[in-house]
């Protein structure tokens, strides 16, 4: 059946959103799709977004049908609003931040590890499974309302952070396919989706606001992450075009950190009243603090905001307990803590506070987002020792619904500029909670109907580790070199031959292939061999373990090969090892599948 709709899906760290528009519309007008979900036991409601939380129900809850949905009964888990609510009483049964775990190379993302540190009696799930469940819910909610236009028959674009490494991208794709996405769905970087949302809002007027050579900093601060991207306006055969030229690191700092900071402040005010909050009340207060943050930092915000939670003690049943958060105190705490004034040379600190660190998500030790922006500009906008500031900034993410954060970052940019010409805000990117899904929807429409596209290819250069030959030293591994097999910006749907010296592929035994990436080495070409590199220049992705066999009877235990790299239309990286002696080849793909 031919597709009727273009659909954009934002799989968020804390909120997931789906937007859609008809493919036959002359002008795309993406709108958010209300998502039916459980809001209380035995109760469902359609809400603008799906909270990205998964509650693992007890056997009793499952038998009682507490998590039943219009399309399924007897389910052992629930996702969305009620899952987040249940985290108050049952934190050990609630999965959060699955998207961040999906990008965490320090764990096996296929292992059942979530909820992290949950007791043994709780049947855990993997980050991959949690992500699949959120996407599955979006698919089922759509199919419930569109039985004649099923999700799998539409044109779908799914977003992910620009900073996701190839393994996280591959896992996201796998989760989507398992959830019912069509095989030809497309992955799109979230900051690009935010720009597409702005382009859709501007129509052809965007060409009047941007000039050739100008750059746009996309500053995307969501619930759990900060994502930075640089886009340049270029001349393409006499017409303006956009090109993504840099992406930042995957930063685990965002609105949740800010809400929690306000919650700590509010908890202290409750303690001063002699009130000790229990876990349920603490989570309820955290929700209240999110709205308070937006209200207190709004341009027309009140001088104070009341934080109330339901009473839980015998003297407070049916009542509430409240404290007042003052605008001045909250603003100072959040703006100075997360967006402090700093110099362009003030970079984030990363020293651990203790010699022992709890194993878990690699949250940023320095929450100062302005310092992370400074670091990004130092890496990607430096010319002859000087920082060339971007011409425009596009804010995206729920954090910037609070006007105070936008104004603070603009003030910091003014300070960095030191002139009357500072970074100008590209405004009109309304409804920040839905901008990414709307932009993805617009992109899906343009792929079918035509329109402005952002070029850029892969956001990092990628390398394969080559073990050097030489004398063995007891207790020391052989030195490793890094061969560039994918240059920065290699376009989707292309392939290239990697020029290199003869390299041996080990046969007949389990071997470990090591891969590296770099978002700062943009001039390395395919075949460039790094013998050494500075700290921070390369990051290591998950290794791949495999055993390869050959029909050739080679007594040396290895076979000389050459490399060919391919970037598929879905943006997945494949490295082909092609024998120099016979008509044989083997594929290495960024994946964490067990061989």
């Amino acid at each position: 059946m031919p597709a009727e709709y273009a659909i954009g899906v934002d799989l968020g760290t804390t909120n997931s959103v789906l937007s859609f528009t008809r493919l036959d519309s002359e002008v795309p007008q993406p709108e958010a799709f209300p998502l039916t979900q459980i809001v209380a036991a035995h109760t469902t409601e359609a809400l603008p977004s799906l909270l990205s939380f998964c509650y693992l129900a007890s056997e009793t809850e499952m038998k009682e049908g507490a998590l039943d949905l219009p399309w399924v009964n007897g389910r052992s888990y629930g996702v969305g609003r009620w899952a987040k609510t249940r985290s108050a009483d049952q934190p050990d049964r609630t999965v959060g931040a699955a998207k961040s775990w999906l990008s965490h190379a320090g764990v096996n993302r296929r292992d059942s590890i979530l909820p992290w540190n949950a007791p043994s009696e709780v049947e855990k799930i993997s980050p991959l499974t949690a992500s699949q469940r959120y996407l599955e819910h979006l698919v089922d909610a759509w199919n419930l309302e569109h039985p004649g236009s099923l999700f799998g028959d539409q044109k779908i674009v799914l977003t992910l952070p620009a900073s996701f490494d190839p393994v996280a991208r591959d896992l996201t794709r796998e989760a989507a396919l398992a959830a019912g996405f069509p095989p030809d769905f497309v992955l799109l970087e979230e900051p690009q989706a935010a720009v597409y949302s702005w382009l859709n809002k501007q129509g052809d007027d965007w060409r009047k606001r941007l000039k050739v050579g100008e750059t746009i900093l996309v500053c995307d601060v969501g619930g759990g992450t900060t994502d930075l991207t640089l886009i340049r306006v270029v001349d393409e055969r006499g017409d303006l075009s956009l090109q993504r030229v840099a992406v930042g690191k995957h930063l685990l700092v965002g609105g949740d950190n800010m809400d929690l900071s306000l919650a700590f402040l509010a908890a202290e005010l409750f303690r001063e009243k002699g009130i000790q909050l229990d876990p349920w009340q603490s989570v309820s207060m955290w929700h209240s603090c999110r709205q308070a943050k937006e209200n207190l930092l709004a341009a027309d915000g009140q001088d104070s905001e009341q934080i109330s939670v339901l009473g839980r003690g015998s003297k407070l049943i049916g009542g509430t307990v409240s404290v007042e958060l003052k605008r001045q105190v909250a603003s100072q705490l959040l703006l100075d803590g997360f967006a402090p004034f700093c110099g362009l040379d003030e970079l984030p600190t990363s020293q651990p506070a203790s010699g022992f660190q709890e194993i878990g998500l690699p949250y940023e030790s320095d929450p100062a987002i302005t310092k992370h922006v400074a670091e990004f500009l130092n890496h990607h906008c430096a010319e002859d020792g000087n920082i060339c500031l971007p011409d425009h900034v596009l804010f995206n993410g729920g954090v910037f619904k609070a006007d105070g954060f936008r104004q603070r970052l603009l003030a910091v940019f003014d300070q960095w500029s030191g002139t009357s010409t500072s970074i100008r805000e590209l405004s009109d990117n309304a409804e920040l909670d839905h901008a990414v899904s709307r932009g993805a929807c617009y992109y899906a429409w343009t792929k079918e109907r035509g329109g402005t596209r952002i070029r850029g290819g892969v956001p990092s250069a990628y390398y394969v580790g080559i073990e050097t030959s030489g004398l063995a030293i007891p207790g020391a591994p052989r030195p490793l070199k890094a061969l560039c097999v994918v240059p920065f910006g290699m376009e989707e749907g292309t392939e290239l031959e990697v020029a290199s010296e003869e390299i041996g592929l080990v046969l007949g035994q389990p071997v470990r292939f090591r891969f590296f990436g770099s978002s700062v080495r943009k001039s390395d070409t395919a075949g460039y061999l790094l013998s050494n590199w500075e700290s921070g220049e390369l990051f290591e992705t998950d290794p791949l373990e495999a055993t390869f066999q050959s029909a050739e009877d080679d007594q040396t235990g290895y076979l000389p090969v050459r490399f060919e790299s391919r970037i598929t239309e879905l943006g997945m990286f494949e490295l082909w090892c092609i024998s120099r002696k016979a008509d044989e080849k083997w594929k290495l793909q960024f994946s964490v599948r067990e061989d």
Side-chain angles (χ1 to χ4, degrees):
M1 180 178 294
E4 295 181 57
Y5 294 96
I7 298 176
V9 176
D10 175 12
L11 175 62
T13 308
T14 54
N15 284 279
S16 295
V17 186
L18 186 154
S19 293
F20 69 102
T21 190
R22 291 195 62 87
L23 281 169
D24 59 9
S25 60
E26 290 305 312
V27 178
Q29 297 180 332
E31 56 182 295
F33 176 68
L35 296 160
T36 298
Q37 58 196 278
I38 302 167
V39 296
H42 309 287
T43 306
T44 61
E45 185 180 339
L47 300 175
S49 65
L50 180 78
L51 285 167
S52 302
F53 290 82
C54 180
Y55 173 65
L56 308 177
S58 66
E59 188 173 340
T60 300
E61 289 172 311
M62 183 180 66
K63 288 180 178 178
E64 291 177 349
L67 292 93
D68 288 355
L69 286 160
W71 56 83
V72 65
N73 294 326
R75 181 168 279 178
S76 62
Y77 65 88
V79 300
R81 173 65 61 82
W82 197 51
K84 177 73 177 288
T85 302
R86 291 294 284 154
S87 67
D89 291 322
Q90 299 285 346
D92 289 340
R93 288 185 171 273
T94 307
V95 174
K99 181 177 174 181
S100 295
W101 285 101
L102 198 68
S103 68
H104 186 12
V107 299
N108 187 332
R109 290 161 269 190
R110 291 179 177 279
D111 281 353
S112 298
I113 58 175
L114 301 179
W116 187 253
N117 288 333
S120 57
E121 61 267 21
V122 175
E123 189 172 344
K124 299 181 181 181
I125 62 175
S126 70
L128 176 63
T129 298
S131 300
Q132 178 184 330
R133 287 180 177 179
Y134 304 144
L135 294 173
E136 214 164 42
H137 190 100
L138 301 183
V139 172
D140 290 336
W142 171 272
N143 288 342
L144 177 70
E145 301 297 330
H146 298 85
S149 303
L150 296 179
F151 188 91
D153 296 327
Q154 311 312 309
K155 296 300 180 182
I156 313 295
V157 170
L158 172 63
T159 64
L160 40 65
S163 50
F164 259 21
D165 68 19
V167 177
R169 287 170 181 253
D170 186 53
L171 288 169
T172 303
R173 176 177 177 270
E174 183 179 342
L177 291 174
F181 278 53
D184 63 348
F185 87 93
V186 175
L187 293 170
L188 176 67
E189 295 170 9
E190 290 163 6
Q192 289 192 44
V195 175
Y196 280 121
S197 180
W198 181 80
L199 291 172
N200 184 37
K201 190 87 172 176
Q202 297 297 309
D204 288 336
D205 286 346
W206 75 268
R207 292 179 171 85
K208 300 176 183 177
R209 300 188 61 178
L210 303 176
K211 299 177 182 178
V212 171
E214 289 185 335
T215 53
I216 304 168
L217 170 65
V218 185
C219 187
D220 186 349
V221 184
T225 60
T226 292
D227 215 353
L228 303 171
T229 289
L230 195 67
I231 292 175
R232 177 173 291 125
V233 184
V234 296
D235 186 331
E236 192 170 80
R237 294 186 295 275
D239 192 15
L240 290 187
S241 182
L242 299 174
Q243 181 179 19
R244 193 260 285 114
V245 293
V247 299
K249 297 184 295 185
H250 193 63
L251 303 172
L252 292 186
V253 59
D256 288 348
N257 304 68
M258 301 173 192
D259 302 340
L260 190 58
S261 296
L262 280 185
F264 271 105
L265 173 61
E268 183 59 34
L269 295 176
F270 277 116
R271 278 193 290 271
E272 290 175 3
K273 287 187 170 185
I275 299 171
Q276 187 71 36
L277 302 180
D278 65 19
W280 184 91
Q281 292 170 311
S282 296
V283 172
S284 175
M285 181 176 63
W286 191 2
H287 289 310
S288 298
C289 286
R290 179 184 183 185
Q291 187 61 50
K293 171 192 67 183
E294 296 169 8
N295 294 342
L296 290 169
L297 295 182
D300 57 351
Q302 301 295 317
D303 290 335
S304 65
E305 188 80 11
Q306 183 169 277
I307 301 296
S308 301
V309 295
L310 290 174
R312 300 276 281 180
S314 58
K315 298 180 181 179
L316 295 170
I317 292 177
T320 61
V321 289
S322 304
V323 294
E324 291 286 329
L325 286 182
K326 299 294 184 182
R327 177 186 177 94
Q328 183 177 359
V329 175
S331 296
Q332 182 175 355
L333 172 68
L334 297 180
L335 295 180
D336 292 347
F338 293 92
F341 284 98
C342 63
L344 263 172
D345 58 349
E346 291 184 61
L347 306 184
T349 57
S350 58
Q351 294 181 349
S354 170
F356 293 103
Q357 294 288 302
E358 184 179 43
I359 298 174
L361 283 174
Y363 293 108
E364 299 305 317
S365 57
D366 192 333
I369 291 170
T370 45
K371 292 183 180 180
H372 289 289
V373 175
E375 182 179 45
F376 174 80
L377 296 178
N378 272 271
H379 282 160
H380 301 289
C381 298
E383 292 184 9
D384 300 324
N386 297 315
I387 306 299
C388 299
L389 293 178
D391 301 282
H392 306 274
V393 60
L394 179 67
F395 292 122
N396 189 62
V399 163
F400 291 114
K401 290 192 294 185
D403 184 69
F405 276 105
R406 291 200 311 276
Q407 296 305 321
R408 170 55 69 89
L409 261 71
L410 289 171
V412 172
F413 296 157
D414 284 341
Q415 174 185 286
W416 290 348
S417 173
T419 68
S420 58
T421 304
S422 186
I423 302 177
R424 300 179 294 278
E425 181 184 3
L426 295 179
S427 54
D428 305 323
N429 205 29
E431 299 188 47
L432 292 170
D433 285 336
H434 299 91
V436 167
S437 66
R438 290 176 186 270
C441 177
Y442 171 76
Y443 179 70
W445 185 92
T446 62
K447 283 183 68 68
E448 295 300 305
R449 301 291 302 272
T452 302
R453 301 279 292 276
I454 301 171
R455 297 186 295 106
V458 295
S460 300
Y462 291 105
Y463 307 76
V464 63
I466 307 295
E467 184 179 296
T468 60
S469 59
L471 299 173
I473 301 174
R478 293 185 188 276
L480 198 70
K481 295 182 180 181
L483 177 69
C484 180
V485 290
V486 174
F488 180 90
M490 184 174 172
E491 296 282 352
E492 288 84 358
T494 63
E495 59 184 71
L496 56 81
E497 185 170 339
V498 179
S500 69
E501 298 178 356
E502 193 168 276
I503 294 171
L505 174 67
V506 177
L507 300 171
Q509 59 179 300
V511 287
R512 188 168 178 260
F513 299 92
R514 295 176 64 183
F515 293 97
F516 303 84
S518 175
S519 60
V520 296
R521 296 189 63 92
K522 299 178 185 176
S523 59
D524 289 353
T525 57
Y528 187 84
L529 188 65
L530 283 171
S531 298
N532 52 69
W533 50 90
E534 295 181 6
S535 175
E537 277 195 299
L538 301 188
F539 59 86
E540 186 165 6
T541 71
D542 283 3
L544 173 66
E545 295 186 2
T547 302
F548 292 118
Q549 305 289 345
S550 172
E552 288 288 310
D553 184 17
D554 196 311
Q555 300 300 314
T556 64
Y558 63 85
L559 198 67
V561 296
R562 60 182 178 86
F563 294 129
E564 283 186 2
S565 297
R566 297 177 187 173
I567 304 295
T568 70
E569 291 290 347
L570 286 176
M572 311 311 297
F573 166 44
E574 298 176 353
L575 180 64
W576 288 85
C577 307
I578 302 173
S579 171
R580 293 181 181 270
K581 301 178 86 174
D583 186 20
E584 292 182 298
K585 60 182 179 180
W586 303 265
K587 181 176 73 170
L588 292 173
Q589 182 171 328
F590 274 104
S591 173
V592 291
R593 294 183 178 87
E594 295 295 331
D595 228 63

